[in-house]
Amino acid sequence: MTKVFSRRAFLSLSVASLGTSVLADAPARSLRPVLRPSSARALPKAAPAADALIRDSGLTGKVSFAVARMGDGAVLEGHQASSGLPPASVTKVLTALYALAYLGPNHRFQTSLVAVGNISNGVLRGDLVLRGGGDPTLDTNGLADLARTLKAAGVREVRGQFLVWGGALPSVKRIDKKQPDHAGYNPAVSGISLNYNRVHFEWKRGSNGYSVAMDGRSDKYRPEVDVARMKIVKRSVPVYTYKSQGGQDHWTVASGALGKGGARWLPVREPEIYAGEVFRTLARAHGITLKAPKKTQTPPRGAVLARKSSPALKDILKAMLKYSTNLTAEMVGMAASQARGAQPGSVKASAAAMNAWASESLGMRGAALVDHSGLGEKSRLRADEMALMLAQAGQHAVLRPILKNIALRDANGKVNKGHPLKVLAKTGTLHFVSALAGYVTTPDGRDLAFAIFGADINARDRLIGADRERPQGARTYNGRAKKLQQKLIERWGTVYGA
């Protein structure tokens, strides 16, 4: 049953812009909206009832939503709003606030080359260490810049080892263990990341069979790597198999799935060696010969020969929310947990630190997240708490500049550029899970904060093996969920707009 209710603001944050912290004292009580007496309810304008929209949507499972008025924290309407449901990538909204709170909007991650030893006449008599600093945006072009700077520093020979250190963050082989091995959105996490810890696999069929390449390409370079290997096997299914052996990623692919040619990005499980191999190739192009890279557990101490800075955190987070990059969310979330004073050894432990912060600083007592990206299906958020948090003026000022514009569509499914409602929000999608949270601006300029969560948990629980990649019915569920989300938003624009 849909209820209309209200309550006073639960929190007053001190955030006025991206340039200020989003930390605040904990509220005195949790976010539990109180039903308004019927005499206090505003008479709604003509619009379909929310219950009817949900019933007619054809969605299986549960739907939870809440819409709140900006400023005073009044929840105008909700449906099962206190039920915890999987938020999917809407989780990244909390991760963005968390990272801004502990790292600051202008924080920049540093990747560096460190000389452990003396340099004389261009010869380093010691080890060269590629030191990761938790930059989720580092790409092959960035490593090329480091190689160029190393040459400019006068280094032409390294007598010792070439080491790679990724200990700035905990090492995690995959974000979520239930995802398919070949899912590029589920790579390893480490203090060093290259190309979002993905390797480019390309195949072409010729007269003598297929040729394959595994490389760490960018728009300028295509350095091949040995840490990820591919073998074509005569079969139809499974399309891919994976195993880790000898510190390398060993893949096989079914010949029946390849066609004439193509390419895709595969996840990397050995990010230190991957980054090291790519840098070694780029250094060789500048006449600097390095030994094969080795992973080191020891933080390097020595002279910094070259340094590469990431973009400002606020720009990293804007891209994360736009493209929903899971690795970015996990890396900045872990970095924030460390800045908070936690020493998480896993994604789940770091998410627990973020849950504690959300409860203490945002009043979101029901936050139960298992990661920072929303990839884990066991995560739960409440729609009422999410909407009320978004409705606070401080959060609005922080999030509005970095949330993505969500296009609304006409009856034929085409983008309606002239739609009178404007939506800035974050989407979240897993199989049989669809979420949307953010802001809708009515034609008269009034802002409303909302959160919509939908999930068919039973359908997800039935997914096993290969069914997890493209399960039957998942696309239909997602399409229906998106249509319902728009209809609810249009209802709120009609009822609560001027």
Side-chain angles (χ1 to χ4, degrees):
M1 177 179 178
T2 301
K3 297 181 179 179
V4 179
F5 44 79
S6 170
R7 53 152 293 165
R8 291 189 176 183
F10 67 95
L11 179 63
S12 178
L13 294 177
S14 60
V15 184
S17 69
L18 278 172
T20 55
S21 171
V22 292
L23 287 173
D25 294 333
R29 52 182 176 158
S30 64
L31 299 175
R32 293 190 179 275
V34 179
L35 185 67
R36 288 198 301 177
S38 59
S39 60
R41 300 179 192 176
L43 292 175
K45 300 175 185 177
D51 286 345
L53 292 176
I54 294 171
R55 183 180 62 250
D56 295 343
S57 69
L59 279 182
T60 55
K62 295 182 179 180
V63 174
S64 171
F65 75 75
V67 58
R69 187 165 56 219
M70 294 298 303
D72 66 359
V75 174
L76 302 171
E77 186 174 295
H79 176 83
Q80 299 186 3
S82 62
S83 299
L85 287 178
S89 284
V90 167
T91 300
K92 294 182 177 75
V93 173
L94 280 187
T95 301
L97 292 173
Y98 185 50
L100 288 168
Y102 285 102
L103 301 175
N106 297 314
H107 178 81
R108 295 176 187 269
F109 301 95
Q110 306 288 333
T111 306
S112 55
L113 290 172
V114 180
V116 183
N118 296 320
I119 300 176
S120 177
N121 297 321
V123 178
L124 170 57
R125 291 175 172 81
D127 299 334
L128 180 69
V129 185
L130 175 60
R131 177 183 178 128
D135 179 6
T137 68
L138 182 67
D139 61 8
T140 296
N141 291 346
L143 288 186
D145 291 341
L146 284 173
R148 193 177 301 110
T149 304
L150 182 64
K151 180 183 179 182
V155 175
R156 54 183 174 80
E157 183 180 352
V158 176
R159 296 279 176 87
Q161 299 184 91
F162 174 42
L163 305 174
V164 185
W165 183 71
L169 297 175
S171 177
V172 179
K173 288 299 183 182
R174 46 178 60 77
I175 298 170
D176 182 60
K177 294 180 180 179
K178 288 190 174 183
Q179 302 299 322
D181 284 331
H182 57 276
Y185 53 77
N186 188 39
V189 181
S190 170
I192 191 163
S193 162
L194 179 66
N195 302 326
Y196 299 101
N197 280 344
R198 298 176 305 163
V199 64
H200 191 262
F201 163 47
E202 184 174 21
W203 65 93
K204 294 180 181 179
R205 186 168 66 185
S207 56
N208 295 320
Y210 286 98
S211 62
V212 300
M214 303 286 275
D215 60 59
R217 70 176 54 191
S218 68
D219 59 338
K220 297 179 181 179
Y221 309 98
R222 294 188 179 184
E224 293 190 357
V225 296
D226 191 51
V227 68
R229 299 183 175 188
M230 179 64 72
K231 181 180 180 181
I232 298 176
V233 178
K234 189 175 182 179
R235 65 169 187 259
S236 297
V237 292
V239 177
Y240 291 97
T241 68
Y242 168 82
K243 67 178 180 179
S244 176
Q245 184 176 349
Q248 294 176 316
D249 294 336
H250 288 263
W251 296 92
T252 72
V253 63
S255 59
L258 294 182
K260 294 182 178 180
R264 70 169 293 163
W265 291 91
L266 293 171
V268 167
R269 307 287 180 217
E270 300 290 341
E272 289 84 2
I273 304 304
Y274 175 54
E277 287 188 350
V278 170
F279 180 79
R280 184 189 187 202
T281 298
L282 296 168
R284 187 186 305 125
H286 290 287
I288 306 170
T289 301
L290 302 174
K291 295 181 174 66
K294 294 182 179 180
K295 181 177 178 179
T296 180
Q297 304 292 341
T298 305
R301 295 183 179 180
V304 176
L305 304 179
R307 181 180 287 112
K308 180 68 176 178
S309 297
S310 75
L313 180 63
K314 60 184 178 182
D315 298 321
I316 292 175
L317 296 176
K318 184 172 184 177
M320 176 191 77
L321 293 174
K322 180 178 181 179
Y323 299 109
S324 206
T325 45
N326 294 328
L327 184 62
T328 299
E330 302 304 341
M331 291 181 73
V332 301
M334 284 186 168
S337 290
Q338 291 180 340
R340 175 178 162 86
Q343 296 298 323
S346 66
V347 167
K348 187 175 182 179
S350 183
M354 187 167 78
N355 291 335
W357 165 80
S359 177
E360 297 162 5
S361 298
L362 303 180
M364 298 182 69
R365 311 265 194 246
L369 303 169
V370 299
D371 55 34
H372 301 288
S373 61
L375 192 57
E377 62 186 27
K378 297 298 183 182
S379 286
R380 296 291 185 271
L381 286 180
R382 286 173 44 170
D384 55 358
E385 291 186 343
M386 189 73 185
L388 282 169
M389 181 275 290
L390 291 169
Q392 302 307 308
Q395 309 299 359
H396 184 240
V398 170
L399 291 171
R400 191 177 186 90
I402 62 176
L403 283 174
K404 179 182 178 180
N405 179 62
I406 303 297
L408 298 180
R409 299 179 180 274
D410 61 22
N412 296 318
K414 296 182 179 180
V415 172
N416 182 1
K417 295 181 179 179
H419 200 288
L421 299 177
K422 304 302 178 186
V423 179
L424 290 172
K426 179 70 188 82
T427 60
T429 304
L430 295 170
H431 295 317
F432 301 104
V433 173
S434 185
L436 186 69
Y439 304 100
V440 55
T441 302
T442 62
D444 63 323
R446 185 171 303 182
D447 286 322
L448 303 172
F450 69 90
I452 308 170
F453 300 141
D456 188 335
I457 304 298
N458 291 333
R460 281 200 64 82
D461 288 343
R462 291 193 294 268
L463 300 181
I464 58 174
D467 290 341
R468 297 190 67 85
E469 186 169 14
R470 294 177 181 172
Q472 185 176 1
R475 175 178 286 188
T476 299
Y477 178 94
N478 184 256
R480 289 173 176 174
K482 290 186 179 301
K483 290 178 180 179
L484 173 61
Q485 289 162 4
Q486 176 163 329
K487 289 180 179 180
L488 287 171
I489 289 170
E490 289 173 335
R491 167 186 160 75
W492 301 331
T494 299
V495 175
Y496 302 112

